[in-house]
Amino acid sequence: MSASRRSGTTDELGPQEPERDGSDLLAALLDGMDAALCAFDADGVVTHWNREAERILGWSADEAVGRHGFAGWAVRTADAEEVESRLMSAMHAPGRQVHEFALLTKEGGRVLVRTQSAAVRGPNGKPAGVYCAFSEVHAQIDLERSIALSEALLEDASWGVVLVDADLRPAVVNAHAARALGIGRTAVLGRPLGELLAQGVEELESALAHVLAEGAPPALAEMWVTVRTPEGEKRRCWRSGFLRLSSPLAEEPVPLGVGWLFQDVTVSKQGEQEASQLRFRANQLHRAARAAAECEDPAEAAVVHLDFSLAGFADHALIDRVAGGSVRDGEEAVRLVRAAATPSGAPGPSLPADGRAGLPVRYAEGHPALQCVERIGSVRASAGASDPEQIREWAVARQWSADAVHALCAVLRSRGRTLGVVTFLRGASRTQFERADAMYAEDVGVRIAALLDLADERFAEGRERG
């Protein structure tokens, strides 16, 4: 059934085919609208009534078109005058007017609707009638809530929100996400993610591509990324959720992109990692003490502590003793003699060295181990180069394993004397040593130093007896 009044439309447009086509197009457009629409002429007679209006109220176009106002059929008689005056007032008012009132369905039920009405102008510019678009209030409220939610997410949300298009480029970014990325909201738009993230972009793009193809994952994902900021690169952990965005206007779901929501959980994750690391290291110290207690030789027990300390901490380690056994604070010309070291090739237990000969290790002046003895404190060092050959030369020049990239030297102290240095080495697959690593190395060094001191006493007692 046409959405326009049949009588009069044909008379006005005439029998010419192009004009009838225009009438049919208008009817199709009105019937295809998502909102209910009706129109009144200047006398208040219904001239148009589309299918959505029929769906909401149950009155067909044949039943509605031609009636005068809503009185007696779509509105209660007691309310008809007020409703009609509010609707028709739009004919002489500028812009649109919004009203809410109850309409009657064909079955006699009541429906609360929200209307938007505005004047229809004739060819001479004078008001010729009123059109009125209306929808059920709960549907309008749902729409407004959806719009309000979208605006809140994109403006005030404490989570980062990024809408990514099908080419995996940011299309909309909220303020929180822009701050997390260290760049302005408009500067982010359309740029490849690789220009915004120094590390972690492959994992993120893989997740986005998966969501486009398969849909949202069942749980949140935690991703470590490195963000480029004006202050430099920063490593962050983002707890992320993903939603596939599909067009509601298509018959079949057409992916428009991905909604990516994330929250920075770096502080809490670092806290969890540090707590887990502390528990593991405390457990290793406990296991080392239990194993060392079964050793008759204190020097062997010291090597046991060295082996247990390597797990999850370093790739290689070595112990250098002060020539002559120990040195008191302030003494100069310290020489270090190799006492034990882990194998430089295949992994295995540390191998004690015969340091009794007193042949010093060829450490150049300024070597981290010598600095450690001078400062009576830990010293950290890194190759600081990216070329493998330069890294190899750096390690070999310091008498370390050729694959060493990072080093940490901790002083061995017992009874107010320096007994030597324990050095831990890491390869390129590990990060450089941090302050927390130095504290752990110092704990290990205290235990090793006590055992080496005991071994020296036993050796001295044996010589006296001999």
Side-chain angles (χ1 to χ4, degrees), residues 286-362:
H286 174 74
R287 293 177 60 200
R290 292 285 300 272
E294 302 300 322
C295 298
E296 293 185 5
D297 183 3
E300 180 184 352
V303 173
V304 168
H305 272 283
L306 186 68
D307 288 336
F308 271 92
S309 67
L310 284 177
F313 182 66
D315 297 315
H316 303 289
L318 51 92
I319 298 175
D320 294 326
R321 292 294 310 275
V322 171
S326 63
V327 60
R328 296 191 179 277
D329 298 348
E331 295 185 16
E332 299 180 357
V334 175
R335 295 185 305 166
L336 296 177
V337 179
R338 183 63 43 83
T342 54
S344 58
S350 299
L351 304 175
D354 186 10
R356 305 297 181 186
L359 297 177
V361 184
R362 292 178 291 106

Side-chain angles (χ1 to χ4, degrees), residues 9 18 49 55 59 79 90 123 128-129 144 159 166 184 190 192 248 318 411 446 463:
T9 303
W49 189 266
R55 185 193 68 80
W59 302 97
D79 301 331
E144 292 180 0
W159 282 61
L318 51 92
V411 66
V446 168
R463 291 185 62 180

Side-chain angles (χ1 to χ4, degrees), residues 315-316 344-345 391-392 395-396 400-406 425-428:
D315 297 315
H316 303 289
S344 58
I391 293 175
R392 177 182 174 84
V396 171
W400 289 334
S401 176
D403 59 348
V405 177
H406 310 291
L425 302 172
R426 287 179 176 175

Side-chain angles (χ1 to χ4, degrees), residues 99-177:
H99 302 287
E100 287 185 7
F101 42 77
L103 297 181
L104 295 178
T105 66
K106 188 175 182 179
E107 290 75 20
R110 300 183 70 197
V111 178
L112 183 63
V113 299
R114 178 174 296 176
T115 67
Q116 294 187 44
S117 53
V120 176
R121 305 287 175 180
N124 56 2
K126 294 182 179 181
V130 173
Y131 80 84
C132 172
F134 63 91
S135 60
E136 297 174 83
V137 166
H138 71 82
Q140 184 70 20
I141 291 176
D142 287 344
L143 175 61
E144 292 180 0
R145 283 176 181 156
S146 298
I147 295 174
L149 175 61
S150 299
E151 291 182 349
L153 286 174
L154 296 175
E155 293 295 336
D156 306 322
S158 59
W159 282 61
V161 180
V162 180
L163 303 187
V164 182
D165 63 21
D167 295 325
L168 306 185
R169 295 174 183 247
V172 181
V173 178
N174 76 341
H176 186 99

Side-chain angles (χ1 to χ4, degrees), residues 128-296:
V130 173
Y131 80 84
C132 172
F134 63 91
S135 60
E136 297 174 83
V137 166
H138 71 82
Q140 184 70 20
I141 291 176
D142 287 344
L143 175 61
E144 292 180 0
R145 283 176 181 156
S146 298
I147 295 174
L149 175 61
S150 299
E151 291 182 349
L153 286 174
L154 296 175
E155 293 295 336
D156 306 322
S158 59
W159 282 61
V161 180
V162 180
L163 303 187
V164 182
D165 63 21
D167 295 325
L168 306 185
R169 295 174 183 247
V172 181
V173 178
N174 76 341
H176 186 99
R179 288 193 299 269
L181 292 168
I183 194 171
R185 293 180 64 178
T186 56
V188 178
L189 305 183
R191 296 178 61 179
L193 293 173
E195 295 182 6
L196 306 174
L197 303 177
Q199 295 180 0
V201 65
E202 295 85 0
E203 181 182 6
L204 177 57
E205 287 184 340
S206 176
L208 294 171
H210 173 81
V211 174
L212 275 174
E214 304 293 336
L220 299 178
E222 292 178 351
M223 297 182 176
W224 283 94
V225 299
T226 301
V227 183
R228 294 189 178 98
T229 68
E231 295 77 25
E233 295 184 353
K234 295 183 178 180
R235 185 163 171 76
R236 315 302 297 169
C237 181
W238 289 341
R239 182 172 293 152
S240 303
F242 302 93
L243 299 169
R244 180 164 63 176
L245 306 179
S246 300
S247 173
L249 303 179
E251 293 184 5
E252 296 182 0
V254 177
L256 298 177
V258 177
W260 170 33
L261 292 82
F262 66 90
Q263 187 176 37
D264 194 320
V265 293
T266 306
V267 175
S268 62
K269 292 300 295 184
Q270 287 177 339
E272 292 174 8
Q273 291 177 349
E274 290 172 2
S276 177
Q277 187 182 76
L278 285 174
R279 286 194 299 270
F280 176 78
R281 290 178 176 178
N283 186 52
Q284 284 298 102
L285 291 174
H286 174 74
R287 293 177 60 200
R290 292 285 300 272
E294 302 300 322
C295 298
E296 293 185 5

